[in-house]
Amino acid sequence: MVANPEEPRVRLPQLKLDELLEELQARINAARNAQDRVHSLLEAVLSVGRELDLEQVLHSIVEAAAALVDAEYAALGVIGPDGRRLSAFHTVGVTGEQIAVIGPFPEGHGILGELIRHPHPLRLGKISEHPASYGFPPGHPPMSSFLGVPIRVRDQVFGNLYLTEKRGGAEFDEEDESVLSTLAVAAGVAIDNARLYEDSRLRERWLRANAEIGHSLMSGSDRADALSLIAERAREISGSALAAVALPMENTKSLNVEIAVGVDAEAHRGLVLPLHESLMGLAYAAAAPVTSDDVVHDPRITPDPPRFDGLGPAAAVPIGTGADGARGVVLVAREEGRPVFLRKETEMLQGFAAQAAIAMELAERRQDAQQIALLEDRDRIARDLHDLAIQRLFATGMTLQSAGRFIEHPEASERVLRAVDDLDETIKIIRSTIFGLRSRTGTAGSGLRARVVHAVGEAAPVLGFAPSVRMEGLVDTDVPAGIADDVVAVLTEALTNIARHAHADRAQVALTTDGREVCLRVSDSGVGIAPGGRRSGLRNMAERAEKLGGGLALTSPEEGGATLQWRVPLPAG
């Protein structure tokens, strides 16, 4: 049947169909946008998870967050160990010039602190309307809309993501919050992986350092070289500005800082530290790590002498904690403003120190075995000299003495008698050598170092304070016993003078030797040298120095007090 063109057409609801098509197109576009956003989220997750360097991971997270929700500004705040403040801040969208104008990064107050206190997603149309908001510092770019989500690493809140100013003037919506929360989950995994990787690399560095120290000690290196290596590696691996190693002094309740490297190392080297007024002493006494967030203002540490200028966080760990107690202490200190030492860091440092203690123990046992072998060899030589050489010489002397009676020529007889006398002298020399081979070193704790610390300790109650002590050089080895007696006598006299006349509240004692001379320096913060006062004590000290070819100098610095310097040359060889 053919339709008649004259008949009227059936009219469709054109307007409704257009609306349906537009709605369908809008849904298709929304689906495409959602697909693109999912792809972008997947790409962001892959990008973040690809990094292993923690700093790079954090920067990648901030960049990905800003791109995913189309925010003009983004930041990631890392929560510090106290759980209340931000210890690090990573930003996107703010230039270096703007940061310099704004000033220090935020610590976690206002809206940022709200997210720290309540770690749940927070979405605001206008920041200023929230009760916790109290404005921005001068020079800060204007910000209105806000979206923040926490980043969790396992069961701990690591930090927070902060997004502001959605482009186009729109507000952040639920979909933005969902996308950002998903990214935060992936970021937590990436951060955890980066931290584990960082920890493994750090442990590897500590292990390599232990192997290096063990090889150095077992190959016969000098103890001072080994201690220097311990300090250097501890400073490098812990990211510190200063490292020091102190060992206990015999028969005293003190530590001697034998090695110091880094910032102001000279201020630490040679210091004698009390056990309960220094970070190293506390670690040694407790046989456990001791940390300080601010070593300059820590009330547990004596400020005198000044030695931590410009430094902040510090940690001290004992070297070994076996049955015989700690063998020493390692101290590391970072610059002011650097992160405090975390528990895992002190644990790694303590493990390093424990391994170093084992290496030191093995090296000492090896030296003891060598010393025993040396002493046994000396005993054998002494026996051989006594049993063989002396007996033969004695027999030869007896033979010559007997033969002398049969010599009639006077000069020949006289020469034989002189030969007998020479043999007697030779026997005496050999016997003296045997005595020297069989002799042992002096008693422990009788060295000059211990005597100086003892003298200072005895003077402390009279002074009303404990003077600081510093000793450098081979004090026990290079200074002979006679000169050591004079050093102790002069030190005692100097401290007595301070107690009687100086009215001081601080004093410093420094004993140094370079192998050619010994120098004792005693200074105080008192009233200085009184004119016309009694000088008998000073005269006695000067006479002691002059008798040994040295001298005494007494000065009054501009800042007040007095400084006594007593120095004498040491005998050669």
Side-chain angles (χ1 to χ4, degrees), residues 270-294:
L271 275 179
V272 176
L273 301 172
L275 293 188
H276 299 291
E277 298 178 5
S278 64
L279 203 66
M280 300 180 90
L282 292 171
Y284 180 81
V290 178
T291 60
S292 174
D293 292 351
D294 185 358

Side-chain angles (χ1 to χ4, degrees), residues 68-398:
L68 283 173
V69 298
D70 202 21
E72 189 173 351
Y73 304 107
L76 191 155
V78 179
I79 299 176
D82 61 2
R84 297 188 300 270
R85 293 181 298 177
L86 299 176
S87 62
F89 209 72
H90 303 263
T91 62
V92 165
V94 184
T95 65
E97 292 77 8
Q98 288 176 311
I99 293 174
V101 172
I102 296 170
F105 283 119
E107 295 184 351
H109 304 294
I111 295 296
L112 305 189
E114 182 71 16
L115 205 57
I116 294 174
R117 291 186 294 272
H118 306 287
H120 304 288
L122 178 64
R123 183 158 42 94
L124 303 173
K126 200 166 186 179
I127 296 175
S128 59
E129 294 179 353
H130 194 279
S133 176
Y134 57 80
F136 297 103
H140 197 286
M143 295 180 181
S144 181
S145 57
F146 176 87
L147 174 60
V149 296
I151 298 175
R152 298 180 184 272
V153 177
R154 300 186 185 182
D155 297 329
Q156 178 188 4
V157 177
F158 174 84
N160 296 304
L161 272 173
Y162 309 110
L163 287 300
T164 60
E165 292 303 284
K166 187 174 179 70
R167 297 183 190 278
E171 295 183 4
F172 295 105
D173 55 24
E174 290 185 6
E175 187 176 337
D176 293 328
E177 182 181 321
S178 176
V179 168
L180 202 59
S181 297
T182 304
L183 177 65
V185 173
V189 175
I191 291 169
D192 193 30
N193 289 338
R195 289 167 76 177
L196 291 172
Y197 177 70
E198 193 175 72
D199 288 350
S200 67
R201 291 187 64 188
L202 193 59
R203 291 183 190 279
E204 183 182 354
R205 292 184 67 189
W206 284 121
L207 289 173
R208 282 203 304 267
N210 277 129
E212 185 181 6
I213 291 165
H215 180 269
S216 173
L217 284 167
M218 298 307 293
S219 62
S221 295
D222 183 74
R223 187 183 73 163
D225 293 336
L227 294 178
S228 294
L229 190 58
I230 290 173
E232 282 286 0
R233 295 298 174 265
R235 183 179 67 87
E236 292 171 6
I237 299 175
S238 66
S240 300
L242 169 75
V245 178
L247 301 182
M249 299 182 66
E250 291 184 85
N251 294 346
T252 66
K253 294 182 179 180
S254 305
L255 296 173
N256 182 39
V257 182
E258 298 209 3
I259 299 295
V261 295
V263 174
D264 286 339
E266 290 295 330
H268 294 262
R269 198 173 297 127
L271 275 179
V272 176
L273 301 172
L275 293 188
H276 299 291
E277 298 178 5
S278 64
L279 203 66
M280 300 180 90
L282 292 171
Y284 180 81
V290 178
T291 60
S292 174
D293 292 351
D294 185 358
V295 72
V296 176
H297 302 100
D298 196 319
R300 299 172 297 173
I301 302 170
T302 54
D304 189 46
R307 56 194 185 277
F308 291 112
D309 290 344
L311 300 178
V317 299
I319 301 176
T321 54
D324 298 331
R327 306 177 66 85
V329 182
V330 176
L331 168 78
V332 288
R334 290 172 176 158
E335 293 176 340
E336 185 179 3
R338 292 288 309 283
V340 299
F341 284 90
L342 302 177
R343 182 178 177 182
K344 68 176 181 180
E345 292 181 296
T346 56
E347 287 176 351
M348 288 185 186
L349 181 60
Q350 187 177 15
F352 165 74
Q355 292 298 319
I358 294 172
M360 292 170 66
E361 178 93 20
L362 292 174
E364 287 179 8
R365 294 291 177 266
R366 179 171 170 270
Q367 290 176 355
D368 289 345
Q370 292 176 342
Q371 184 70 16
I372 291 172
L374 176 63
L375 293 175
E376 289 177 347
D377 202 34
R378 285 183 174 183
D379 287 341
R380 180 188 60 77
I381 294 171
R383 285 196 305 270
D384 290 347
L385 287 173
H386 183 272
D387 297 342
L388 300 176
I390 287 182
Q391 297 301 325
R392 289 197 176 193
L393 289 173
F394 187 75
T396 303
M398 293 289 291

Side-chain angles (χ1 to χ4, degrees), residues 407-420:
I407 299 175
E408 297 180 355
H409 195 284
E411 288 187 7
S413 177
E414 184 181 351
R415 288 186 179 182
V416 170
L417 291 175
R418 281 205 304 268
V420 172

Side-chain angles (χ1 to χ4, degrees), residues 448 479 482-491 494 510-512 517-522 537-554 563-570:
L448 182 54
V479 182
I483 297 179
D485 292 339
D486 285 323
V487 169
V488 175
V490 170
L491 173 61
L511 179 65
T512 60
E517 70 171 10
V518 60
C519 176
L520 174 67
R521 191 172 184 270
V522 183
L538 295 175
R539 186 166 55 252
N540 291 336
M541 289 187 275
E543 288 175 356
R544 286 180 182 272
E546 291 167 2
K547 179 184 65 176
L548 297 170
L552 172 72
L554 192 64
T563 298
L564 178 148
Q565 190 163 271
W566 187 91
R567 59 173 69 233
V568 297
L570 297 175

Side-chain angles (χ1 to χ4, degrees), residues 429-475:
I429 292 172
I430 293 175
R431 280 177 173 164
S432 176
T433 302
I434 292 172
F435 179 78
L437 287 171
R438 286 177 171 171
S439 65
R440 297 293 185 264
T441 57
T443 58
S446 61
L448 182 54
R449 285 179 182 269
R451 294 177 66 188
V452 167
V453 174
H454 182 70
V456 172
E458 284 192 331
V462 181
L463 290 166
F465 58 87
S468 67
V469 183
R470 181 195 311 278
M471 287 183 273
E472 293 186 39
L474 302 176
V475 173

Side-chain angles (χ1 to χ4, degrees), residues 21-103:
L21 289 174
E22 288 176 2
E23 183 179 351
L24 178 62
Q25 185 64 40
R27 292 191 177 187
I28 292 173
N29 292 336
R32 285 176 178 172
N33 290 337
Q35 183 182 28
D36 292 341
R37 202 163 196 187
V38 169
H39 287 160
S40 298
L41 178 60
L42 290 175
E43 289 176 4
V45 169
L46 291 174
S47 174
V48 167
R50 197 178 294 123
E51 297 290 345
L52 285 175
D53 179 76
L54 183 57
E55 291 298 311
Q56 188 58 46
V57 166
L58 298 179
H59 188 71
S60 298
I61 292 169
V62 180
E63 288 185 330
L68 283 173
V69 298
D70 202 21
E72 189 173 351
Y73 304 107
L76 191 155
V78 179
I79 299 176
D82 61 2
R84 297 188 300 270
R85 293 181 298 177
L86 299 176
S87 62
F89 209 72
H90 303 263
T91 62
V92 165
V94 184
T95 65
E97 292 77 8
Q98 288 176 311
I99 293 174
V101 172
I102 296 170

